[in-house]
Amino acid sequence: MSDLRDPAPYDALLLLSFGGPEGPDDVVPFLQNVTRGRGIPAERLKEVGQHYFLFGGVSPINDQNRALLDALRKDFAGHGLDLPVYWGNRNWAPYLTDTLREMTRDGHRRIAVLATSAYASYSGCRQYRENLADALATLAAEGLRPPRVDKLRHYFNHPGFVRPMIEGVLASLAELPEEVRAGAHLAFTTHSIPTASADTSGPAPGHGDGGAYVRQHLDVARLIADAVREETGVAHPWRLVYQSRSGAPHIPWLEPDICDHLRALRADGAPAAVMVPIGFVSDHMEVLYDLDTEATAKAAELGLPVRRSATVGADPRFAAAVRDLLLERAATERGADAERCALGALGASHDRCPADCCPARTPRPAAAGADSPQA
């Protein structure tokens, strides 16, 4: 990691996340925020919200972001980095626009942004940038001078993100009964998205056949599987699979689904499996319900022993990785050389998304990209 300790030109960091309800009365309004413009009736949203109601109407994501916020502040302070850290969400309080307004009134003019999404895709990157552009436009309409925002690069292959997941797999394997452990399959899971969105993820030269979204996940899965083999002496079979599909049945989405995959594993005689949610930064609702509840119940029905490995969450190594990404980008913005930490075959991602990166179906302004006007 970089030895530099100068965050200039940045004077603040924004932790930008998805948000989630914090009580039963929040569930439908939250889902209305998420689905705004799609014309979904409230009764349908109540049906969709059953996953949240099973957990008291509370998504764990906000508490997990509070823990990460605390970890970042402690890491920065412990390494002499005097930089305030704020938190804003796209779909629930604290809302992104409110947080950026607060940061602007606090005098911050150059803000680095960490999104809690590690991979390239429209929903995992460009949509965050569109929300940033919307928020900045709102501030300008209010008569405020919007700050400049720079989104930190994708960190899917940063050692501070990958290493905690490797240890999570090792711990999950150790929890399996000894007689099935060596033959356990690794099911690396991430959020399914429409194949059309996957195919256009990342810069245009790499579009097609899953785009950057699939390539990046495969690279991380391979890194983890190889590390597990090196540390245990066992080459566990593995596959990238998907979860949390939410689209219309007639639209192709990435497959196979985790439950279908568990069924296929059992039919093929696999003795056990570890579900590894590499596509998620923390144990939010789609991990708790789709893996810990639904997929685990399916495995029990099949008689297939399973464990689910931990996400990165607020691991101190991830907090250190964020500091590294911030200082790396700061040095680059100053015109200095900076070490760009990355594991695997793909190397470090771009700093600014190209104009043709992860395009929206309907073009909208997006901040922090090569085609974005600078504030």
Side-chain angles (χ1 to χ4, degrees), residues 18 35 49 54 65 86 119 159 166 182 247 280 285 308 324 343 349:
F18 192 82
T35 62
L54 287 174
N65 281 323
Y86 294 73
Y119 301 85
I166 293 170
F280 305 90
M285 185 57 67
R308 195 268 294 173
D324 187 49
L343 302 174
S349 295

Side-chain angles (χ1 to χ4, degrees), residues 229-367:
R229 184 192 68 244
E230 291 172 5
E231 298 190 33
T232 65
V234 178
H236 291 272
W238 64 271
R239 184 170 183 180
L240 177 63
V241 300
Y242 302 93
Q243 62 174 90
S244 313
R245 173 181 172 141
S246 58
H250 68 281
I251 298 175
W253 282 52
L254 293 173
E255 296 178 337
D257 176 78
I258 177 62
C259 289
D260 293 337
H261 180 61
L262 293 176
R263 189 179 296 110
L265 286 179
R266 192 54 168 161
D268 290 342
V274 173
M275 300 181 290
V276 191
I278 60 173
F280 305 90
V281 171
S282 63
D283 289 4
H284 54 68
M285 185 57 67
E286 284 151 319
V287 175
L288 291 187
Y289 182 80
D290 296 334
L291 295 183
D292 293 355
T293 304
E294 190 175 50
T296 299
K298 174 56 67 176
E301 175 189 318
L302 296 167
L304 180 69
V306 295
R307 296 294 185 273
R308 195 268 294 173
S309 68
T311 53
V312 173
D315 190 290
R317 290 165 294 187
F318 182 46
V322 175
R323 168 170 44 87
D324 187 49
L325 291 166
L326 169 70
L327 294 174
E328 166 204 295
R329 180 64 181 273
T332 300
E333 291 296 312
R334 296 194 306 268
D337 292 330
E339 180 186 2
R340 296 171 64 82
C341 292
L343 302 174
L346 299 181
S349 295
H350 47 258
D351 283 333
R352 289 186 179 85
C353 294
D356 53 8
C357 197
C358 303
R361 182 176 302 175
T362 302
R364 292 179 53 199

